[in-house]
């Protein structure tokens, strides 16, 4: 059995991870407990920690023990010797194997240390009779291959040689095969951390892998794949140590402090995918990212936190969007910038360089947030150029983590459970937009060529040549819902305008538009086609035809607007600091639910902004993604504004709802929707059952707190599921419940016909039944 390693090394890491010259007993025990666990010595753990690193099935969930080992090595000189002695910890420079043997890799780059006796024994099978176990031969070949790919092909620096002290023996990289125990793939050990002097950012290292991986259920029958994944991950840690081992952030203080090496872990997991694209070990961790879009990319709560591995999706995004060299560029810039933490600021610079000055961290994070929407069931909806190559195998954000609305108007307070953390995201979906009243009045200009058409009257006859129903609002009204085109409203080549978000014409954040001429904000929307007129004075501009690219004017024909007012800002409990917001609109077409249109903009800081969706009836739903993101690594920033503080997101969705059709309605069951429920077209949307409450002459419900219960049966009469907890809409008197098309056991129901029996009560006490009915619904998978 190996002994605990622990080198008498020390380094105060400056602003990146400064440690006091003493550690509390509690903090020492926390660091040591994590170290003991990942090094296979759980028998010395406290009961609390031992249970804390297990999942709900009692299985350990650690992937890489690098961070726990690094904290131990970097703080060991501060430990109480009595504490170490009391635990029976044996200290030596390197692992000591009973009957140790050594094999050199074919390229002469690695020494593999192993034994064929005792607890750490590898399988002694030697089919090629070279006196080295086949398992060891394969480990050596895999490491040669990983080194060739990372260092020679991708151009990363070779890890520093460790022959500066006798224990290492020579310059070959040392790999030890041991019984690591359950739940740990491998360990990269920081070794000498002062090879460049007292302010060194480079460190030597060595590595431990498991002797057979029989404690990882998914690799019991294929241990060589576990070696491949682990070699790629851990050797990239060794490369990282040779570039900048200080790249970490310190969260918390005192006994609760933790060194957050999230960029090290997510980029090492990315390297697994680069080396072995077909293994996809990272799929096992993706639910820890997609289970909650609000959480920060910077999360590193504990050494057993799996989100840093799941956050591999971010370097995957960076490599796909800007090319794989951007990961190397970020690491090189980390070293140039000095001791960590530097990741956010240097990533911002790398994105700026890779995009030739067109994008920064906040814009890239907006793209990243959009990509994360189109995964799992939504993968096929992704527009061209959006989404991960393997997105159909990724999980999707759960419905419970998306603010979804089916009733209007909507008032959401600024502080709510959907608020995102810094470098996190939130999604707001507006559904049932067909219920928004269509505006049948239009704007009148005395002349279609009149650029001062700021006032309006109703168009009596839209087909009259003397009356044009262009929807026109001038900048002089301080309206912020439309688009700015350079060159004036007559310009027909306004191909890439940006949305007006606030302020006067002189302060619009215009990138593609040079200036606002005569204060006119032409209505424009990113669509696959625009509305065109044969000539500027053509009265046929009240109707629309598809632009064929040969010319014409991009006037937008608008029947109605869905007005949205967002209040975006920092939490009131912390100082207000600059916080750019990325905003993406995801429009799912009503007449083609399999098609999606995307529109994006940036809001530069905490602000109240009014946005609008033209012609909302065109869409099955509109989802808005918001991502607050700032690439600041300053110590003051994290002290005054930690990543774990949620951003406030409040909004008001104003809509005129047609209530006449709901006036004087009796209580009744309305048809389920959609029916039939074609699952492939619905994505993650549930099947909904709606019931009408009796209304008065104004369409208002006569019962204030009705309660809807729906039982779903097979046609044979077997109960499948009961759904309730309706969401009321007091304006229309409609109440509905959603069914995820699963049975009580959580299993998806099969295609076929089902009977839904609905009962509407006066309250959740169910004392008075207002109405009941049944309806048949079909599910098609």
């Amino acid at each position: 059995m190996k002994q605990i390693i622990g080198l008498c090394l020390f380094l105060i890491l400056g602003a990146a991870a400064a440690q006091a010259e003493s550690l509390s007993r509690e903090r020492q025990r926390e660091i040591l407990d994590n170290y003991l666990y990942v090094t296979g010595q759980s028998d010395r753990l406290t009961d609390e920690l031992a249970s804390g690193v297990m999942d709900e099935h009692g299985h350990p969930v650690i992937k890489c023990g690098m961070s726990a080992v690094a904290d131990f090595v970097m703080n060991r000189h501060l430990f109480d010797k009595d504490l170490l002695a009391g635990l029976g910890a044996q200290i030596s420079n390197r692992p000591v194997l009973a009957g140790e043997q050594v094999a050199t890799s074919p390229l002469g780059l690695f020494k593999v240390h192993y034994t064929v006796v005792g607890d750490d024994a590898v399988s002694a099978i030697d089919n090629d009779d070279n006196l080295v176990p086949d398992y060891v031969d394969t480990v050596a070949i895999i490491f040669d291959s990983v080194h060739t790919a990372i260092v020679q092909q991708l151009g990363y620096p070779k890890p520093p040689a460790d022959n500066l002290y006798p224990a290492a023996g020579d310059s070959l990289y040392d790999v030890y095969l041991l019984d690591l125990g359950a739940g740990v793939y491998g360990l990269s050990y920081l070794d000498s951390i002062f090879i460049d002097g007292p302010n060194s950012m480079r460190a030597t290292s060595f590595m431990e892998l498991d002797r057979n991986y029989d404690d990882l259920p998914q690799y019991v029958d294929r241990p060589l794949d576990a070696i491949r994944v682990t070699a790629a991950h851990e050797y990239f840690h060794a490369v990282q140590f040779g570039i900048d081992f200080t790249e970490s952030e310190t969260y918390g203080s005192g006994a609760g402090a933790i060194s957050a090496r999230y960029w090290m872990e997510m980029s090492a997991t990315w390297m697994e995918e680069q080396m072995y694209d077909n293994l996809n070990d990272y799929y096992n961790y993706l639910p820890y990212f997609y289970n909650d879009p609000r959480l920060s990319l910077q999360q590193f709560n504990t050494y057993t936190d799996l989100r840093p591995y799941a956050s591999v999706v971010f370097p995957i995004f960076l490599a796909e969007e800007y090319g794989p060299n951007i990961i190397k560029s970020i690491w090189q810039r980390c070293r140039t910038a000095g001791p960590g933490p530097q990741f956010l600021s240097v990533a911002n610079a790398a994105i700026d360089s890779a995009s030739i000055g067109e994008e920064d961290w906040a814009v890239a994070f907006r793209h990243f947030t959009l990509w994360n929407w189109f995964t799992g069931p939504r993968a096929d909806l992704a527009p061209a150029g959006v989404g991960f190559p393997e997105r159909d195998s990724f999980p999707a954000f759960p419905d419970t983590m998306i603010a979804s609305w089916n009733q209007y108007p909507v008032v959401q307070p600024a502080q709510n459970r959907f608020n995102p953390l810094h470098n996190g995201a939130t999604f707001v979906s507006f559904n049932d937009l067909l219920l928004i009243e269509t505006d049948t009045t239009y704007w009148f200009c005395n002349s279609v060529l009149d650029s001062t058409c700021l006032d309006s009257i109703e168009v009596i006859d839209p087909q009259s040549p003397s009356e044009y129903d262009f929807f026109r609002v001038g900048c002089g009204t301080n309206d912020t819902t439309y688009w700015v085109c350079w060159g004036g409203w007559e310009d027909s080549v306004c191909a890439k305008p940006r949305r007006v978000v606030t302020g006067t014409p002189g302060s619009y954040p215009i990138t593609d538009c040079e200036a606002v001429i005569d204060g006119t904000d032409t209505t424009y929307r990113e669509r696959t086609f625009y509305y065109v007129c044969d000539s500027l004075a053509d009265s046929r501009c009240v109707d629309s035809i598809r632009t064929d690219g040969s010319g014409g004017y991009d006037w937008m024909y608008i029947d109605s607007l869905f007005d949205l007012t967002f209040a975006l800002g920092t939490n009131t409990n912390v100082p207000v600091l600059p916080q750019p917001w990325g905003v993406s609109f995801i429009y799912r077409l009503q007449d083609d639910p399999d098609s999606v249109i995307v529109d994006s903009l940036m809001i530069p800081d905490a602000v109240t902004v009014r946005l609008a969706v033209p012609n909302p009836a065109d869409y099955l739903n509109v989802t808005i993604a918001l991502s607050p993101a700032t690439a600041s690594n300053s110590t003051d920033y994290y002290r005054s504004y930690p990543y774990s503080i949620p951003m406030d997101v409040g909004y008001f969705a104003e809509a005129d709802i047609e209530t006449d059709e709901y006036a004087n309605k009796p209580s009744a069951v309305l048809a389920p929707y959609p029916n039939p429920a074609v699952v492939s077209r619905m994505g993650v949307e549930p099947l909904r059952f709606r019931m009408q409450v009796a209304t008065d002459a104004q369409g208002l419900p006569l019962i204030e707190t009705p309660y809807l219960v729906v039982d779903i049966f097979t046609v044979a009469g077997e109960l499948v599921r009961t759904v309730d907890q309706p969401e009321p809409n007091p304006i229309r008197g409609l109440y509905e419940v959603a069914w995820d098309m699963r049975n009580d056991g959580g299993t998806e129901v099969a295609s076929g016909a089902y009977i839904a029996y609905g009962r509407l009560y006066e309250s959740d006490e169910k004392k008075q039944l207002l109405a009941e009915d049944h309806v048949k619904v079909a599910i098609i998978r």
Side-chain angles (χ1 to χ4, degrees):
M1 184 64 183
K2 69 166 184 176
Q3 296 174 321
I4 304 176
I5 68 98
L7 305 176
C8 296
L9 308 172
F10 62 93
L11 177 66
I12 305 304
L13 296 181
Q19 299 287 342
E21 280 302 311
S22 63
L23 289 176
S24 69
R25 186 86 170 190
E26 182 182 2
R27 177 62 176 148
Q28 292 180 48
R29 186 57 193 256
E30 182 180 22
I31 293 174
L32 186 56
D33 273 352
N34 283 289
Y35 173 74
L36 291 172
Y37 175 76
V38 302
T39 55
Q41 302 184 77
S42 300
D43 57 322
R44 297 190 179 94
L45 294 178
T46 65
D47 291 340
E48 292 77 13
L49 181 66
S51 62
V53 294
M54 302 293 177
D55 66 14
E56 65 273 18
H57 304 295
H59 302 307
V61 293
I62 275 188
K63 175 178 173 66
C64 170
M66 176 275 294
S67 196
V69 170
D71 270 7
F72 175 78
V73 172
M74 291 160 57
N75 290 283
R76 184 192 173 280
H77 66 291
L78 300 175
F79 275 74
D80 186 329
K81 292 181 175 58
D82 293 336
L83 175 62
L84 296 178
L87 291 171
Q90 298 175 344
I91 306 301
S92 63
N93 286 337
R94 293 285 178 114
V96 177
L97 299 174
E100 179 176 320
Q101 301 183 56
V102 176
T104 301
S105 69
L107 296 181
L109 299 169
F110 297 88
K111 282 198 310 185
V112 182
H113 304 253
Y114 68 96
T115 183
V116 293
V117 298
D119 293 337
D120 297 312
V122 301
S123 170
I125 295 174
D126 181 18
N127 288 320
D128 59 2
D129 295 324
N130 69 344
L131 304 182
V132 176
D134 294 343
Y135 186 85
V136 176
D137 281 335
T138 304
V139 168
I141 291 170
I142 289 173
F143 269 97
D144 274 349
S145 175
V146 167
H147 170 91
T148 299
I150 295 177
V151 175
Q152 297 181 11
Q153 296 175 7
L154 295 180
Y156 287 88
K158 180 181 178 180
D162 60 2
N163 58 342
L164 68 163
Y165 54 91
D170 54 37
S171 63
L172 276 64
Y173 193 92
D174 295 291
V175 177
Y176 295 83
L177 302 181
L178 307 163
D179 182 13
L180 294 182
V184 179
Y185 283 54
L187 306 172
S188 294
Y189 278 83
L190 276 178
D191 198 351
S192 175
I193 59 176
F194 55 91
I195 61 175
D196 294 329
N199 294 315
S200 175
M201 295 170 61
R202 298 191 308 135
T204 61
S205 60
F206 60 89
M207 193 180 305
E208 294 185 0
L209 270 68
D210 196 74
R211 65 188 180 91
N212 58 15
Y213 287 96
D214 61 355
D215 287 317
L216 293 180
Q218 66 270 40
Y219 289 112
V220 168
D221 298 325
R222 51 188 186 104
L224 299 184
D225 283 343
I227 295 171
R228 293 181 178 97
V229 167
T230 307
H233 185 108
E234 300 300 334
Y235 192 64
F236 196 55
H237 278 326
V239 170
Q240 295 167 0
F241 295 158
I243 298 173
D244 176 13
F245 77 89
T246 73
E247 181 48 55
S248 67
E249 296 168 19
T250 301
Y251 296 162
S253 60
I258 189 169
S259 296
R261 299 178 177 88
Y262 61 88
W263 171 237
M264 283 188 171
E265 293 296 4
M266 71 172 73
S267 59
T269 309
W270 170 81
M271 187 57 75
E272 299 173 19
E273 179 71 353
Q274 296 302 294
M275 297 296 96
Y276 302 106
D277 180 45
N278 62 317
L279 294 183
N280 296 321
D281 183 83
Y282 74 99
Y283 283 5
N284 296 314
Y285 302 94
L286 291 184
Y288 292 90
F289 182 89
Y290 286 98
N291 61 2
D292 193 343
R294 305 167 305 167
L295 301 181
S296 174
L297 186 72
Q298 299 164 257
Q299 178 174 307
F300 196 103
N301 289 335
T302 67
Y303 299 111
T304 60
D305 188 350
L306 295 183
R307 187 174 173 86
Y309 310 112
S311 295
V312 62
V313 290
F314 186 69
I316 290 176
F317 160 78
L318 290 177
E320 291 292 333
E321 187 80 341
Y322 304 105
N325 281 339
I326 194 171
I327 308 300
K328 181 170 63 178
S329 173
I330 291 172
W331 272 110
Q332 290 170 335
R333 292 169 187 265
C334 283
R335 175 165 181 78
T336 302
Q342 305 290 354
F343 164 63
L344 291 177
S345 57
V346 302
N348 183 58
I351 291 167
D352 177 82
S353 177
S355 65
I356 319 178
E358 293 294 320
E359 297 179 1
D360 59 11
W361 171 272
V363 172
F365 202 85
R366 183 191 69 194
H367 296 338
F368 172 63
T369 298
L370 184 63
W371 281 36
N372 284 320
W373 179 255
F374 295 104
T375 60
R378 304 187 193 97
D380 292 340
L381 296 175
V386 174
F388 301 97
E390 300 175 28
R391 60 186 179 271
D392 57 341
S393 298
F394 289 10
F397 294 128
D399 290 344
T400 54
M401 299 310 303
I402 300 166
S404 186
W405 302 95
N406 299 81
Q407 305 148 7
Y408 307 96
V410 171
V411 179
Q412 178 69 290
Q415 296 184 18
N416 60 81
R417 75 179 186 91
F418 296 102
N419 285 350
L421 305 182
H422 169 69
N423 285 328
T426 191
F427 296 86
V428 184
S429 289
F430 298 100
N431 309 291
D432 285 0
L433 298 180
L434 281 172
L435 297 171
I436 297 176
E437 182 179 4
T438 298
D439 186 357
T440 58
T441 62
Y442 305 100
W443 301 101
F444 171 78
C445 298
N446 293 330
S447 166
V448 73
L449 297 176
D450 186 357
S451 63
T452 60
C453 186
L454 303 180
D455 298 320
S456 63
I457 60 173
E458 234 179 88
V459 174
I460 306 303
D461 180 6
Q463 301 302 318
S464 170
S466 62
E467 296 177 331
Y468 300 91
D469 58 355
F470 295 127
F471 194 96
R472 295 293 313 284
V473 178
C475 290
T477 64
N478 286 326
D479 192 294
T480 62
T481 62
Y482 307 106
W483 299 93
V484 174
C485 299
W486 71 275
W489 66 274
E490 299 98 339
D491 188 9
S492 63
V493 295
C494 185
K496 293 183 178 180
R498 297 190 68 183
R499 189 183 297 272
V500 179
V501 293
T502 188
T504 61
S507 65
Y508 291 150
I510 303 167
T511 296
D512 299 308
C513 308
E514 293 181 358
V516 178
I517 308 301
D518 69 27
T520 305
D521 54 350
T522 303
T523 305
Y524 184 91
R525 177 173 49 178
E526 287 289 353
R527 287 292 303 265
T528 55
F529 63 91
Y530 307 107
Y531 296 102
V532 65
C533 300
D534 293 336
S535 71
L536 188 59
D538 192 335
S539 63
R540 286 179 295 171
C541 202
V542 296
D543 295 322
S544 64
I545 60 174
R546 190 180 296 274
T547 300
D548 60 8
S550 62
Y553 298 88
D554 295 338
W555 297 111
M556 175 59 69
Y557 180 80
I558 295 180
D559 290 325
S560 59
L561 286 175
F562 180 36
D563 285 315
L564 301 166
T565 301
F566 279 86
L568 307 175
T570 59
N571 189 290
T572 55
N573 296 324
V574 296
V576 176
L577 296 173
Q579 187 72 30
W581 288 77
V583 183
S584 293
F585 287 76
I586 305 166
Y587 305 95
R588 193 168 181 183
L589 298 180
Q590 186 75 242
D591 55 0
D592 185 6
D594 293 332
S595 295
V596 166
I597 297 166
V598 171
D599 180 13
S600 299
L601 65 141
M602 292 300 303
I603 297 176
D605 200 352
V607 70
T608 298
V609 58
R610 182 186 173 205
L611 306 171
V613 177
N615 300 327
D618 289 352
Y619 309 113
L620 185 67
N621 57 48
V622 176
T623 299
I624 301 175
L626 300 108
S627 54
T630 299
S632 174
N633 279 106
S634 72
T635 303
D636 288 341
Y637 184 86
Y638 286 104
R639 181 165 54 247
S640 62
Y641 191 29
Y643 82 95
S644 58
I645 299 296
M647 311 294 121
D648 286 347
V649 178
Y651 47 90
F652 172 59
E654 183 179 7
D656 294 324
I657 305 299
E658 296 185 46
T659 59
D660 291 346
E661 64 178 289
Y662 296 102
N664 299 314
K665 287 282 188 181
S667 297
V669 173
L670 301 182
Y673 67 98
N675 190 15
V678 183
V679 177
S680 61
R681 295 184 179 180
M682 295 170 64
V684 296
E685 296 296 325
L687 174 62
R688 299 179 185 275
F689 298 94
R690 177 180 293 166
M691 180 167 274
Q692 172 73 57
V693 179
T695 60
D696 60 18
Q698 284 73 45
L700 299 176
L702 296 176
I703 303 297
E704 293 184 0
T705 58
Y707 194 77
L708 177 60
V709 179
V710 178
D711 292 325
I712 298 104
F713 298 89
T714 65
V715 291
E718 179 184 358
L719 178 64
V720 175
R721 184 81 173 271
T722 296
V723 290
D724 53 5
Q725 296 181 338
E727 297 180 359
N729 187 331
I731 290 184
R732 303 193 308 270
L734 295 177
Y735 288 73
E736 64 181 31
V737 293
W739 179 36
D740 60 4
M741 292 172 285
R742 295 177 182 269
N743 61 24
D744 280 333
T747 303
E748 293 180 344
V749 300
S751 297
Y754 294 84
I755 305 298
Y757 170 50
R759 287 152 293 157
L760 185 67
Y761 296 94
E762 93 294 349
S763 71
D764 57 3
E765 296 180 355
K766 303 179 184 178
K767 293 181 177 179
Q768 179 183 355
L769 181 66
L770 301 178
E772 61 181 331
D773 202 350
H774 66 274
V775 65
K776 182 181 291 186
V777 62
I779 296 177
I780 302 174
R781 293 194 180 275

